[in-house]
Amino acid sequence: MPELESGQWQWENAVAGAVAGFATVASMHPLDVVRTRFQVNDGRLSNLPAYKNTAHAIFTIARIEGLRGLYAGFSPAVLGSTISWGLYFSFYSRAKQRYSKNREEKLSPGLHLASAAEAGALVSLCTNPVWLVKTRLQLQTPLHHARPYSGLYDAVRTILKEEGWSALYKGIVPSLLLQVSHGSIQFTTYEELRKVVVSFKSKETNGTPQSADELLNSVDYAILGGTSKFAAILLTYPFQVIRARLQQRPSNDGIPRYMDSWHVVKETVRFEGLRGFYKGITPNLLKNVPASSITFIVYENVLKILKLAGRND
């Protein structure tokens, strides 16, 4: 992302991030459903079909549950992603602005890391209830014994009635760790790689002064976004598995399968080994690496348009 310019409006970052988030979810949701089902399948559940791989999972869900199954949890996914990206880019840009004493001075990797960590924590606190509902809707299959949620509103109402407000924040600990670490790694990698690409392209212009916006194009943004996402996923994926397992719906007797994050860690190591913490990583990479490329292409180009419109006003 570009460094903040003097007078740049924070709403531009929020709008660009929200549009980017919606575009990402709309194009990749079936892979998100598959990833969630792989993540929670510890081999001891009776309400999830057995999938051999990503392709088999998509085919099986489409055959048994139809398009509705492939897009289970789509409403909270769109809501959560749009809000998350909008808030994230806004919080992130505000943090960078606060840490930057001199507007013309480039932030250090450490300050980029701090900005991303701060934004990630704030976003996680705001959006955890939405992600919990999305996870539960994605895990509903014809094999479920409990009355299924009919949608986003019914899910929230039922959770509040049966489990109370605290249930909406199940998985908040791994969610915070995930958001802070994942966002920090992704955005720091993005910023540092962006500097390298801008520096390299600047040399090719034979000294002609150009801004980063003029030097970089959509292909550059796609490569930068995909590469930074790949690095972040590999390093933080276990937090996603822990969160998904904690956010499952309790059994009919109201007893959750996992009590807390440490319980998930112990049970996963005991029955599945370290591989258990990377279940579903293939559909996750297939979904999020290209999705991140789409996100940053949309974000950077929408931001350019908004900045240009702001100058013309």
Side-chain angles (χ1 to χ4, degrees):
M1 283 169 292
E3 297 294 336
L4 288 175
E5 298 177 4
S6 179
Q8 182 175 325
W9 294 344
Q10 297 301 324
W11 69 266
E12 293 176 347
N13 290 277
V15 171
V19 173
F22 179 82
T24 299
V25 175
S27 58
M28 298 291 177
H29 190 74
L31 286 169
D32 191 51
V33 174
V34 172
R35 177 198 64 179
T36 301
R37 294 191 180 185
F38 271 122
Q39 286 176 338
V40 304
N41 197 339
D42 56 9
R44 296 177 289 154
L45 293 174
S46 60
N47 58 1
L48 282 176
Y51 305 124
K52 298 177 183 177
N53 50 47
T54 302
H56 179 251
I58 292 175
F59 175 78
T60 302
I61 294 170
R63 179 171 55 86
I64 297 175
E65 303 171 54
L67 192 63
R68 182 168 184 167
L70 289 174
Y71 277 86
F74 183 69
S75 295
V78 170
L79 178 64
S81 185
T82 303
I83 293 174
S84 290
W85 279 110
L87 291 177
Y88 200 106
F89 282 115
S90 181
F91 289 148
Y92 181 66
S93 61
R94 284 178 181 272
K96 288 201 303 178
Q97 186 180 42
R98 191 171 61 254
Y99 290 131
S100 179
K101 298 177 182 178
N102 181 351
R103 294 294 181 87
E104 301 300 323
E105 180 184 350
K106 299 293 184 181
L107 288 180
S108 67
L111 289 177
H112 277 305
L113 195 67
S115 300
E118 179 182 319
L122 291 171
V123 168
S124 184
L125 290 170
C126 293
T127 59
N128 195 77
V130 181
W131 298 130
L132 178 133
V133 171
K134 186 209 73 166
T135 296
R136 292 193 177 186
L137 288 173
Q138 289 180 336
L139 294 177
Q140 291 188 153
T141 74
L143 299 177
H144 262 79
H145 303 300
R147 183 188 72 81
Y149 304 129
S150 61
L152 174 59
Y153 174 74
D154 181 57
V156 173
R157 184 181 60 179
T158 305
I159 291 169
L160 291 176
K161 179 181 177 181
E162 295 179 352
E163 303 169 63
W165 282 96
S166 61
L168 294 174
Y169 278 89
K170 284 185 176 180
I172 188 62
V173 173
S175 184
L176 281 169
L177 292 172
L178 173 65
Q179 285 282 6
V180 171
S181 60
H182 188 101
S184 300
I185 293 168
Q186 180 183 1
F187 278 78
T188 301
T189 302
Y190 183 89
E191 296 282 6
E192 295 308 304
L193 289 177
R194 192 176 190 276
K195 289 178 185 177
V196 173
V197 175
V198 169
S199 176
F200 177 77
K201 289 201 165 189
S202 295
K203 294 176 182 178
E204 292 185 334
T205 62
N206 298 319
T208 304
Q210 287 182 287
S211 68
D213 286 345
E214 294 172 319
L215 288 169
L216 299 178
N217 55 41
S218 293
V219 174
D220 297 319
Y221 298 138
I223 294 172
L224 290 171
T227 302
S228 60
K229 191 68 173 182
F230 182 81
I233 288 173
L234 289 182
L235 294 173
T236 65
Y237 191 74
F239 293 131
Q240 290 195 40
V241 174
I242 295 170
R243 180 179 67 178
R245 294 188 176 193
L246 283 173
Q247 291 182 338
Q248 295 176 85
R249 190 174 184 178
S251 59
N252 289 335
D253 56 12
I255 300 175
R257 188 165 189 81
Y258 297 100
M259 304 307 296
D260 53 38
S261 298
W262 180 235
H263 187 211
V264 176
V265 172
K266 288 191 298 183
E267 293 292 288
T268 302
V269 170
R270 177 185 175 191
F271 291 102
E272 303 163 78
L274 293 179
R275 284 187 66 182
F277 293 105
Y278 282 88
K279 282 192 171 180
I281 194 169
T282 298
N284 191 69
L285 288 170
L286 290 173
K287 168 187 177 288
N288 284 302
V289 171
S292 185
S293 296
I294 294 170
T295 296
F296 278 97
I297 289 172
V298 174
Y299 171 79
E300 296 280 11
N301 283 292
V302 170
L303 191 57
K304 284 181 183 179
I305 293 170
L306 292 173
K307 288 164 64 178
L308 182 61
R311 293 192 188 105
N312 292 335
D313 286 342

